[in-house]
Structure formats: structure tokens, C-alpha cells
Amino acid sequence: LLAVIWEYIGWHPLKSDTNHTNSFIGQDMNIVDLIYKEECYQLVGLAYEMFNKLGYGYQEKYYHRAYAAELAAQNIAFKRELLARIKYGNGIIGRYFMDFMIDNKIVIEFKVADDFYLKHINQVLAYLKATSLKLGVIMLVTKKGIQYRRIVN
């Protein structure tokens, strides 16, 4: 959970406050490498593109459809409304439906809201735990445009 909070506020305990290259490991090594950096950059860019075309004021399901069209146009492998099961022992005790799973490695969750809330972060963390994936991205659709947060499991 601390890693999620640190990424949310853009801070890490092993990074220097000035140049982000000093660490306990060595002066020339950046201790925090973003997971799936290029893929995430492209996915966020597609969300911006979608918003620029569609604008604000629609229900979440319409942003899902538009984003799916952007992903398909770029030939990016994805699954929509994917079922993730919560397992306990030999049984299944619950389930989630994720907005998107990209290339079987990144969860994308859209929210139409004014701000990020802890329940959004917890929701994506639960998806990551249920699927054993490492990265989730919350795409927040606001009046001012797309905002995003990376959530790392």
C-alpha cells in the first residue's frame, strides 16, 4: 500500500529530493524504474485523444466504447469488462469486472469524477491482486480533461 501512496504523491523514500538519481544503491542508478513506462504513456495518450474527440459530459460506458475504438485503431490487444475471480482455497468467493485489460498485463479503469478517491485506488488494487498483475491505471474523466494515476501492485 505504501508503494501506491508513494507513486500517487510522486515520492519514494530512496530517491533524493533534488535530482532523483541518488540512492542507497549508488549515485548513477535510478532506484525507481516505472513498470511498463512506454505502454502506459501510449495508453494515456489514447485517453487524451479520446477526450479531445468526445469531450466531457457522457456516462462512463460511452468513454469505454470510445477508448476501445482508439485501442482497436492502434492494434493494441485488449479485453473489455473482463471477469476477475477472487479465489479462496478451492472455491471462488467473489468477482470483479475490470474496464480493460491491456495485453494481459495492464488494468485500465475509467472514472467520471472530479477527483481521485481512495475507493478508486482500492478498487484497482483489488483487481491487481485478483489477477496477479503489476500495473493498473485509473483514467479520470473530468471537465478539464483526462487525469490519470498509476497503481502498482
Side-chain angles (χ1 to χ4, degrees), residues 13-49:
L14 299 181
K15 287 172 53 174
S16 162
D17 288 336
T18 55
N19 64 15
H20 301 292
T21 57
N22 293 328
S23 71
F24 296 117
I25 293 176
Q27 297 293 325
D28 299 327
M29 189 175 210
N30 189 348
I31 192 73
V32 178
D33 290 324
L34 294 177
I35 186 169
Y36 305 131
K37 180 179 177 179
E38 296 302 319
E39 294 93 332
C40 186
Y41 182 81
Q42 182 181 21
L43 295 170
V44 171
L46 290 176
Y48 284 126
E49 183 72 23

Side-chain angles (χ1 to χ4, degrees), residues 68-121:
E70 292 292 334
L71 291 169
Q74 295 297 316
N75 295 317
I76 296 173
F78 71 95
K79 297 173 187 169
R80 277 185 66 193
E81 299 175 7
L82 185 66
L83 175 66
R85 293 178 175 90
I86 305 167
K87 297 177 184 176
Y88 182 78
N90 292 331
I92 297 171
I93 61 168
R95 63 184 183 176
Y96 294 115
F97 288 95
M98 299 176 287
D99 289 350
F100 292 91
M101 181 186 286
I102 309 297
D103 200 23
N104 292 319
K105 59 186 178 182
I106 301 172
V107 172
I108 301 288
E109 183 69 21
F110 275 88
K111 296 294 179 191
V112 177
D114 295 328
D115 203 356
F116 294 95
Y117 297 104
L118 186 57
K119 66 181 181 179
H120 300 155
I121 294 168

